[in-house]
Amino acid sequence: MNTAVKTYTNYYGFLDALRKADAMRRLQKHADSDEAEMLKFHPITQSDMEIIMPYLLMEKGRTTDFSYGGILMWVDYFKYEYAISDDTLFIKGVVENDTDTPAFSLPIGKLPLKDSIEKIRSYCSHHSISPVLSAVPEHALDELEEAGISSINPLDDWGDYLYDAQMLSTLSGKKMSKKRNHVNKFDSLYPECTIEVLNASNIDKAIKFMDIIDCEGDRVEMAIEERLMTRNMLDMIKQGDIYLEGAILMVGDDVAAFTIGDIKNDTLFVHIEKASRKYEGSYEKINKEFAAMMCRKYPQIMYINREDDSGDEGLRKAKQSYHPIEILRKYNIGL
């Protein structure tokens, strides 16, 4: 007899052991199933965006957090990872003003939001972290409240500035007279200027131009990080990225400015805009010309998102001077 096998002299004891063993198997099977269904996150790379983009296009808001460039530009800073479960996209990162605190983007896909939230809660419980959604667009608040949330925290410095595309591309109307004057002065001072699509043929000029921007730029940590991200985006275009759009403003052989963005549905997202202090009106000129170029190429564009001001008073004043039609407010949500 195999002494490792327990024997029972009592039939009822035997049945009871069978029931206990079966219950243990069911519990283990349920635990294995829970583990199998647990969200599994992977770092986002440029190649992963082919998988992610169809989900981003489903998101009905216009905040930059759900744009191609908005994710890739900040992927390292915000430590973005993604998971696909039940044909739904989950993105994990960190809170804007606390990069040590994990947070999740609003889930996008076929799964009802209530069920997506439960998946996030389960993941957080398993990993002993607090369930937080970060940079949630305002349009999602009602549905989230129906799904059950514990707190709402407005992100006052992170609202995106949304503009009328035709207004920026033409600078028509009384509101835009000052901007129009800056562009007209640029044209009169530098009649030899040209505007070109930013691509592999001229990208090295923009990369070299970044040396000037580095010398002129602020030395604060965030500004330095942003310039490094800009170089990464330039490298992506050099490597043939098919989603990023850009323009470069030349005065003779000199780069006066360049800009980079991307298109999602009816919105142009402008992620990067760099201009030289040497050429008066270069910011206004590249802003207008890029908007006009994109509106011609993509007639469906109705809006331009020029992102947030990060609480910088100078940047806030500059963005407000273009008369946004809306500030796209965002929130952190405790689940």
Side-chain angles (χ1 to χ4, degrees):
M1 177 182 290
N2 185 349
T3 57
V5 177
K6 185 170 178 64
T7 59
Y8 295 87
T9 57
N10 185 295
Y11 178 72
Y12 293 102
F14 172 72
L15 287 180
D16 186 58
L18 282 179
R19 293 190 191 99
K20 289 179 179 178
D22 186 56
M24 287 296 294
R25 281 194 296 271
R26 287 198 302 272
L27 285 171
Q28 185 60 49
K29 184 178 180 180
H30 183 69
D32 291 342
S33 176
D34 284 349
E35 187 68 27
E37 293 177 5
M38 187 71 62
L39 295 172
K40 295 178 175 62
F41 287 93
H42 310 279
I44 294 177
T45 67
Q46 189 176 2
S47 60
D48 291 321
M49 293 304 291
E50 289 286 345
I51 301 170
I52 292 171
M53 273 305 294
Y55 294 97
L56 298 183
L57 293 171
M58 295 169 61
E59 203 277 322
K60 62 183 180 181
R62 297 185 179 92
T63 56
T64 191
D65 310 270
F66 298 96
S67 68
Y68 178 85
I71 290 175
L72 272 188
M73 184 168 176
W74 294 90
V75 65
D76 293 329
Y77 184 84
F78 287 120
K79 307 171 187 175
Y80 285 139
E81 299 178 301
Y82 81 103
I84 306 291
S85 178
D86 293 315
D87 204 13
T88 300
L89 171 69
F90 297 83
I91 293 178
K92 177 175 173 282
V94 295
V95 174
E96 284 80 355
N97 53 2
D98 183 3
T99 55
D100 292 324
T101 300
F104 301 81
S105 297
L106 183 74
I108 313 166
K110 294 186 177 180
L111 202 62
L113 184 57
K114 179 178 65 175
D115 296 337
S116 297
I117 294 305
E118 285 308 312
K119 280 183 174 288
I120 292 174
R121 285 177 174 140
S122 177
Y123 177 91
C124 290
S125 176
H126 183 79
H127 292 276
S128 300
I129 59 178
S130 298
V132 175
L133 297 184
S134 187
V136 173
E138 194 165 31
H139 72 78
L141 290 185
D142 288 344
E143 192 175 359
L144 278 169
E145 288 182 350
E146 290 177 5
I149 57 178
S150 62
S151 62
I152 300 176
N153 177 37
L155 296 172
D156 295 329
D157 295 334
W158 295 86
D160 290 349
Y161 288 75
L162 192 71
Y163 303 86
D164 178 270
Q166 286 303 311
M167 184 179 287
L168 288 198
S169 66
T170 62
L171 297 182
S172 58
K174 186 177 180 180
K175 285 183 178 180
M176 291 298 188
S177 60
K178 289 184 179 180
K179 300 299 181 184
R180 200 163 56 244
N181 290 340
H182 284 300
V183 172
N184 290 339
K185 186 168 185 180
F186 181 94
D187 290 339
S188 65
L189 289 173
Y190 318 109
E192 72 276 28
C193 76
T194 57
I195 186 82
E196 305 171 11
V197 173
L198 188 62
N199 55 33
S201 69
N202 53 30
I203 196 72
D204 286 336
K205 296 177 183 178
I207 293 172
K208 188 175 181 181
F209 179 66
M210 279 303 298
D211 294 338
I212 297 173
I213 298 299
D214 284 339
C215 291
E216 294 181 349
D218 294 336
R219 307 314 299 171
V220 297
E221 182 181 355
M222 180 59 79
I224 294 171
E225 285 284 342
E226 191 271 343
R227 292 196 293 274
L228 288 173
M229 296 172 196
T230 297
R231 289 182 179 273
N232 289 340
M233 298 287 269
L234 289 169
D235 285 339
M236 290 178 197
I237 294 177
K238 186 172 184 176
Q239 294 163 15
D241 188 284
I242 63 172
Y243 290 105
L244 295 175
E245 304 275 356
I248 187 167
L249 179 64
M250 303 294 298
V251 176
D253 294 330
D254 282 353
V255 176
F258 74 86
T259 185
I260 299 174
D262 64 81
I263 309 295
K264 191 184 93 170
N265 299 329
D266 62 3
T267 304
L268 165 65
F269 296 85
V270 179
H271 305 295
I272 295 167
E273 191 175 78
K274 302 295 182 186
S276 172
R277 297 173 183 171
K278 177 180 175 182
Y279 297 103
E280 188 176 347
S282 54
Y283 272 110
E284 290 83 359
K285 179 68 174 177
I286 191 70
N287 186 329
K288 175 186 181 296
E289 296 298 340
F290 186 50
M293 178 188 292
M294 291 296 97
C295 285
R296 287 192 298 269
K297 185 175 179 180
Y298 301 97
Q300 76 271 23
I301 292 175
M302 297 177 63
Y303 306 100
I304 297 178
N305 181 320
R306 292 182 57 81
E307 300 191 338
D308 59 79
D309 58 40
S310 302
D312 182 277
E313 195 57 39
L315 191 55
R316 178 171 298 171
K317 185 177 179 180
K319 289 180 183 288
Q320 289 176 343
S321 71
Y322 275 96
H323 303 285
I325 59 174
E326 186 180 356
I327 305 296
L328 301 177
R329 305 196 181 283
K330 307 174 193 178
Y331 302 81
N332 280 356
I333 306 294
L335 299 179

